[in-house]
């Protein structure tokens, strides 16, 4: 496994692989890797000749009051996990390696990025699009994979790929969860013992939604508002430790609220547990990582 810190070195190495006709897969991460990240590596690994993982805590996607400096890091542990998962190249740049000039350009993301997390975290998706486009350019990747855990991010990046004719095969990776249903996240490391228990409300809301969809009858079909009520009943508003940012029932492509409740409708939510902002989402099917909780 090759560890590269220099942007120009990565570019040269990747250009050589492309000239030799090899396909390149990219797995962008911010490090502190867990099984969710590794599942992305494992699912892309068989599809490409060269597998690159990047570890970069991207400052431009953090707001001024967010957790950039406190973001957890474990470089040695990350490298071991990536080696075990048969990664060919790890790109591990410094901030100045990525942002070399003062006043650099930043991308204005598509409208898809303005709601949900985009509304709560102004500038976040601009930072995400900018860093991902830089990583696409440096890696010359043919394929890239992003987790459905960050469903809005996945859809925003698919829109960028389409609208800029980048021609990259963008894959989505299923959400990997802890045994109790909590979606794995580097930010789970911030949770104290009682917060960790409170954090179950996110997956509980999603499980309740799936159950309600499965159990609806012709006489009492599920509607947008009855589905929202089911989810909200799992996430009490009066709990001071759990502050709801948003709970929405949306069309998976437009990410806008929908009255057309089907198996592919997405329930998407963001909740602050103590100081930690957690997000999660799922469709209404019964064949994903939450199914055994139904
Ligand atoms: P991050 O390091 O949080 O920026 O995440 C890097 C990539 O891993 C993103 O594409 C995330 O969507 C994905 N990811 C994070 N958590 C999970 C998870 N629990 N299951 C699947 N993918 C995940």
């Amino acid at each position: 496994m090759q560890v590269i810190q220099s942007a120009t070195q990565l570019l040269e190495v990747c250009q050589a692989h492309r000239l030799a006709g090899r396909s390149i897969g990219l797995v962008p991460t911010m490090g502190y890797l867990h099984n969710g990240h590794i599942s992305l590596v494992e699912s892309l690994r068989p599809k490409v000749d060269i597998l690159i993982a990047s570890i970069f805590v991207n400052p431009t996607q953090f707001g001024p009051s967010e957790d950039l400096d406190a973001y957890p890091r474990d470089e040695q542990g990350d490298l071991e996990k990536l080696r075990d998962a048969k990664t060919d190249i790890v790109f591990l740049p410094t901030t100045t390696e990525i942002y070399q000039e003062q006043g650099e350009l930043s991308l204005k993301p598509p409208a898809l990025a303005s709601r949900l997390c985009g509304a709560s975290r102004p500038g976040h998706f601009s930072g995400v699009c900018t860093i991902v486009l830089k990583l696409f350019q440096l890696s010359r990747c043919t394929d890239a994979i992003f987790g459905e855990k960050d469903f809005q991010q996945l859809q925003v990046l698919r829109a960028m790929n389409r609208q800029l004719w980048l021609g990259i095969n963008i894959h989505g990776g299923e959400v990997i969860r802890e045994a109790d249903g909590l979606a794995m996240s580097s930010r789970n490391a911030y949770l104290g013992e009682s917060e960790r228990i409170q954090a179950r409300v996110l997956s509980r809301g999603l499980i309740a939604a799936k159950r309600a969809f499965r159990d609806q009858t012709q006489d009492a079909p599920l509607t947008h508002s009855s589905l929202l009520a089911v989810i909200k009943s799992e996430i009490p508003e009066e709990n001071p430790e759990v502050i709801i940012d948003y709970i929405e029932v949306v069309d998976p492509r437009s990410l806008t609220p929908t009255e057309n409740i089907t198996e592919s409708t997405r329930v998407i939510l963001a909740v602050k547990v103590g100081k930690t902002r957690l997000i999660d989402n799922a469709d209404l099917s019964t064949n994903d990582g939450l199914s055994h909780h139904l």
Side-chain angles (χ1 to χ4, degrees):
M1 187 173 79
Q2 197 177 2
V3 179
I4 296 180
Q5 289 177 305
S6 146
T8 48
Q9 192 191 348
L10 182 71
L11 187 56
E12 282 165 16
V13 167
C14 293
Q15 266 169 341
H17 283 307
R18 285 301 294 273
L19 280 174
R22 296 185 191 106
S23 59
I24 297 178
L26 175 69
V27 186
T29 82
M30 297 205 298
Y32 207 69
L33 303 181
H34 50 66
N35 286 345
H37 297 113
I38 300 305
S39 77
L40 300 181
V41 174
E42 288 173 346
S43 109
L44 193 55
R45 177 65 282 187
K47 297 190 174 80
V48 294
D49 298 317
I50 303 295
L51 193 290
I52 305 177
S54 63
I55 300 177
F56 179 61
V57 183
N58 173 40
T60 65
Q61 71 189 67
F62 286 77
S65 62
E66 293 183 353
D67 56 346
L68 174 63
D69 293 334
Y71 200 82
R73 289 160 211 255
D74 176 18
E75 211 173 284
Q76 285 318 309
D78 290 349
L79 292 176
E80 271 170 42
K81 287 173 191 159
L82 291 173
R83 191 174 289 115
D84 289 347
K86 310 222 172 349
T87 305
D88 296 302
I89 299 172
V90 180
F91 181 46
L92 197 70
T94 59
T95 302
T96 48
E97 190 63 22
I98 292 292
Y99 297 104
Q100 300 197 349
E101 299 176 27
Q102 293 292 316
E104 284 203 2
L105 69 77
S106 67
L107 295 179
K108 182 170 177 286
L112 209 53
S114 61
R115 303 187 65 254
L116 305 168
C117 285
S120 315
R121 305 183 68 190
H124 171 68
F125 286 116
S126 170
V128 168
C129 287
T130 306
I131 183 59
V132 171
L133 187 57
K134 278 180 181 257
L135 293 171
F136 282 173
Q137 291 297 106
L138 285 174
S139 68
R140 295 288 195 257
C141 62
T142 51
D143 295 71
I145 188 165
F146 300 90
E148 286 195 355
K149 157 84 182 353
D150 300 273
F151 191 73
Q152 187 177 17
Q153 168 174 280
L154 172 63
Q155 299 300 57
V156 165
L157 293 173
R158 281 189 165 134
M160 178 174 86
N161 187 48
R162 223 173 33 239
Q163 291 166 15
L164 295 179
W165 296 282
L166 299 179
I168 295 166
N169 302 312
I170 306 265
H171 307 267
E174 68 165 318
V175 184
I176 305 299
R177 299 177 178 280
E178 303 287 356
D180 66 353
L182 178 68
M184 289 191 182
S185 164
S186 308
R187 290 192 167 94
N188 293 350
Y190 299 143
L191 298 171
E193 216 172 305
S194 86
E195 291 173 341
R196 173 64 186 77
I197 293 167
Q198 303 276 5
R200 289 183 190 155
V201 293
L202 288 101
S203 54
R204 281 207 186 132
L206 299 175
I207 293 162
K210 282 175 183 286
R211 244 186 233 133
F213 183 73
R214 184 195 60 189
D215 297 342
Q216 68 182 322
T217 59
Q218 278 196 333
D219 299 342
L222 203 57
T223 63
H224 180 100
S225 62
S226 61
L227 183 53
L228 260 186
V230 166
I231 304 160
K232 287 184 176 170
S233 71
E234 295 289 329
I235 311 178
E237 278 184 84
E238 62 279 6
N239 183 348
E241 272 192 66
V242 176
I243 307 295
I244 297 168
D245 180 353
Y246 61 77
I247 301 173
E248 293 210 17
V249 172
V250 299
D251 173 87
R253 270 161 291 275
S254 68
L255 300 183
T256 54
T258 179
E259 294 294 336
N260 182 26
I261 309 298
T262 70
E263 196 175 71
S264 60
T265 298
R266 281 270 152 181
V267 176
I268 186 159
L269 38 90
V271 161
K272 230 173 168 185
V273 179
K275 288 197 168 72
T276 307
R277 187 171 181 279
L278 300 174
I279 59 173
D280 204 347
N281 73 90
D283 63 20
L284 298 175
S285 70
T286 51
N287 56 5
D288 64 11
L290 287 171
S291 306
H292 65 281
H293 295 279
L294 290 175

